[in-house]
Amino acid sequence: MKKILLRIVIGVVVLIIIIALGVHFFLDGAVKSGIETLGPKMTKVDVKLDAVSISLLSGSGKIKGLVVGNPDGYKTPHAISIGTVSLVLKPGSLLSDKLIITSINLEAPEVTFEGGLKGNNLSKILANLNENTSGPGGTNVAGATPKEEKKASKKLEVDDFTITGAKLDANITDLGGKTMTLPLPTIHLSNLGTGPDGITAPELTKQVISAIEKQAVATVASEAGNLGNMAGNLTKGLGTNANSTINNAAKGIGNFFKRK
């Protein structure tokens, strides 16, 4: 009898482990699939990632190798590249009406700003998001299947969202493609979707892209004031007219961004 009970207990434990592993791999695969299918439809740019790993026991997880491409017409390889996204969620909320994520941290992303007075790649992605998502919370995604729209309508709560150690590669088209690499200050968003309606994935994406675009613009604006001082080095051998052109362009870019 004891042997039979022992076998039953072992069998139950093995079954629980198999179910847990199945849910784990299904969850990881579902997150990866959701990002790579809904992301391009919302942003109209390529969205790729290498791997997703979420622990059902601790609620901690990582998303690795997330790359957001650039809209048509832009030459730089991508708009945002993130090596690791760390997150912590409440496992008990996975099966509830609202998934509660206590923290998300984008660690040392590379952000590319390409553009000038006529617009930039980040603002274009944000415009695409606004154009391709509609309805309450942006749950109606252009070209999405009913199953994908159901995923987009999932309620979320994100208590703390931070972007740390970001690097900005600025490519200023009005200055002949002058490039600069600048540090981005920490971006911090909090209490997203804490109300009963929560926040949807499209809404969250809009807020994050908007925050990145605003910080990138502010960083370029502050640096633009120094570009005029660099004109002498930029235009050596090109004559005084070229020097004046660079100075005026730099001032124009700085003034334009400061108005935004």
Side-chain angles (χ1 to χ4, degrees):
M1 187 67 177
K2 289 182 178 180
K3 289 183 179 180
I4 294 175
L5 288 175
L6 180 61
R7 288 173 182 174
I8 291 174
V9 170
I10 292 174
V12 170
V13 171
V14 170
L15 181 60
I16 291 173
I17 292 172
I18 292 173
I19 292 173
L21 287 173
V23 172
H24 171 74
F25 287 117
F26 172 78
L27 178 62
D28 292 350
V31 172
K32 186 176 188 297
S33 174
I35 292 173
E36 291 188 323
T37 56
L38 273 176
K41 291 178 180 179
M42 291 191 300
T43 60
K44 294 302 178 186
V45 300
D46 291 334
V47 179
K48 300 292 183 182
L49 61 86
D50 291 336
V52 176
S53 177
I54 299 174
S55 169
L56 294 178
L57 294 177
S58 67
S60 62
K62 287 187 181 296
I63 296 173
K64 295 184 178 181
L66 178 62
V67 178
V68 179
N70 261 329
D72 291 340
Y74 290 90
K75 299 178 181 179
T76 45
H78 55 256
I80 303 170
S81 176
I82 310 166
T84 302
V85 179
S86 299
L87 61 90
V88 178
L89 55 82
K90 292 185 178 180
S93 69
L94 281 168
L95 300 178
S96 67
D97 291 336
K98 184 165 71 171
L99 176 62
I100 299 176
I101 303 172
T102 56
S103 68
I104 299 177
N105 182 27
L106 276 60
E107 302 169 14
E110 294 182 7
V111 178
T112 300
F113 176 98
E114 180 184 347
L117 299 179
K118 295 181 180 180
N120 63 75
N121 58 329
L122 299 175
S123 62
K124 177 59 178 175
I125 291 174
L126 189 58
N128 288 346
L129 274 165
N130 290 324
E131 181 181 342
N132 294 299
T133 57
S134 60
T139 55
N140 298 328
V141 180
T145 65
K147 186 177 181 180
E148 290 169 345
E149 289 199 347
K150 185 178 179 180
K151 290 180 180 179
S153 65
K154 174 69 177 179
K155 293 180 180 180
L156 308 173
E157 176 183 318
V158 181
D159 298 330
D160 192 82
F161 193 114
T162 57
I163 303 174
T164 57
K167 179 181 71 173
L168 178 67
D169 293 321
N171 185 299
I172 312 299
T173 54
D174 292 297
L175 295 178
K178 171 64 182 176
T179 60
M180 299 176 290
T181 299
L182 308 165
L184 276 180
T186 295
I187 296 173
H188 184 212
L189 304 173
S190 59
N191 301 321
L192 304 173
T194 53
D197 293 334
I199 189 172
T200 63
E203 283 182 311
L204 177 62
T205 304
K206 287 178 186 179
Q207 291 203 32
V208 172
I209 296 294
S210 177
I212 291 173
E213 197 264 347
K214 287 179 180 177
Q215 189 59 72
V217 165
T219 301
V220 171
S222 66
E223 187 66 19
N226 299 324
L227 292 179
N229 298 328
M230 298 164 58
N233 293 328
L234 291 172
T235 58
K236 280 183 178 178
L238 298 181
T240 56
N241 288 336
N243 193 320
S244 177
T245 299
I246 293 292
N247 260 301
N248 291 335
K251 290 178 181 178
I253 292 170
N255 292 334
F256 176 78
F257 287 146
K258 287 174 183 176
R259 292 199 300 269
K260 292 192 69 175

